[in-house]
Amino acid sequence: MSVHELGRWVPARPEDLAVMFAGADFPWWIAGGYAIELAVGRELRPHGDLDVLVLRRDQALAREMLSDWDMHVADPPGAGRLRPWRPGEMLEVPLHDIWCRRTRKAPWSVQLMLDEAEGAHWVSRRDPGVRLPLGRVGRRSPTGIPYLAPEVQLFYKTKATRAKDETDFEAVLPLLDESQRVWLADSIAVTAPDHPWRKRLLSADRT
């Protein structure tokens, strides 16, 4: 099914999520294009959804924060099918993509994404060899909104890079320091060694 057939989207804003998750006692981060905008400090383009990333081990806590919402999981991922996320159900790998709306008649407004962790490290669901200490996974905006570090978000954008991802890359590349560029280039080498961003990152690292 197409996104249109699954229902329309009117994405929430990062500020809305910050209010809803204000009392959360688990880590969460704005992800996707909004994370890049929070990193660069300005709007870059329109958005079709709002992604928020939480660790799989914290999924029950995140679900409790949205307990009165209508929530559906993409099962299996990428097949264009949704099913209700039942209360008390623990989603196992490979399930990681949950669509959320305030009521069954409301538009979708939040896409909740689950990712992996081992102890004090975030672990990419694409390859367990790609990881970071949890303290390096996120940043905070000047207003205190947690967002995914740009190098982590760009890593996820290398799977099927679109024009909007190129826009995000061009905007944030000048802001990446040497350690961020090296980590991103090394991580891309694990999952997409021929991706053109890797050459750009290595060239920037030599300037």
Side-chain angles (χ1 to χ4, degrees):
M1 297 178 69
S2 67
V3 171
H4 176 74
E5 292 171 312
L6 293 172
R8 69 188 183 97
W9 273 85
V10 178
R13 298 280 299 177
E15 296 81 2
D16 303 327
L17 241 295
V19 171
M20 287 186 282
F21 278 24
D25 58 357
F26 58 90
W28 63 272
W29 305 273
I30 296 294
Y34 276 118
I36 299 297
E37 289 188 348
L38 288 168
V40 302
R42 68 180 189 277
E43 292 187 7
L44 296 173
R45 54 180 175 79
H47 299 276
D49 59 10
L50 172 67
D51 298 332
V52 58
L53 184 73
V54 302
L55 302 178
R56 186 177 301 276
R57 66 191 183 192
D58 296 325
Q59 62 178 286
L61 298 173
R63 200 190 193 297
E64 179 62 25
M65 298 292 291
L66 301 172
S67 59
D68 57 346
W69 284 48
D70 184 46
M71 307 177 74
H72 286 63
V73 59
D75 186 5
R81 295 196 298 270
L82 299 174
R83 65 163 178 82
W85 185 12
R86 298 180 295 275
E89 178 187 9
M90 296 299 290
L91 301 177
E92 303 294 342
V93 176
L95 304 180
H96 66 272
D97 182 6
I98 302 110
W99 291 27
C100 312
R101 57 190 175 187
R102 292 186 177 273
T103 69
R104 293 183 63 184
K105 294 184 178 181
W108 303 108
S109 57
V110 174
Q111 192 162 9
L112 183 66
M113 312 296 291
L114 304 180
D115 223 336
E116 313 309 317
E118 292 180 7
H121 284 75
W122 162 84
V123 179
S124 170
R125 63 176 176 269
R126 292 191 182 159
D127 191 297
V130 177
R131 56 183 61 211
L132 270 176
L134 285 172
R136 288 185 54 191
V137 170
R139 307 283 188 273
R140 281 189 179 269
S141 74
T143 58
I145 300 174
Y147 64 91
L148 206 59
E151 66 269 27
V152 178
Q153 185 56 65
L154 290 175
F155 168 73
Y156 274 125
K157 287 176 172 286
T158 57
K159 183 177 181 180
T161 305
R162 302 150 294 184
K164 64 181 182 180
D165 302 319
E166 295 289 353
T167 297
D168 292 347
F169 179 78
E170 293 292 340
V172 83
L173 178 61
L175 304 180
L176 300 180
D177 64 25
E178 180 181 358
S179 65
Q180 291 173 299
R181 294 194 301 269
V182 169
W183 180 87
L184 180 54
D186 289 346
S187 299
I188 294 173
V190 174
T191 58
D194 296 327
H195 197 285
W197 287 359
R198 187 163 180 265
K199 183 177 180 180
R200 294 280 308 279
L201 290 160
L202 295 174
S203 296
D205 189 44
R206 289 193 293 268
T207 59

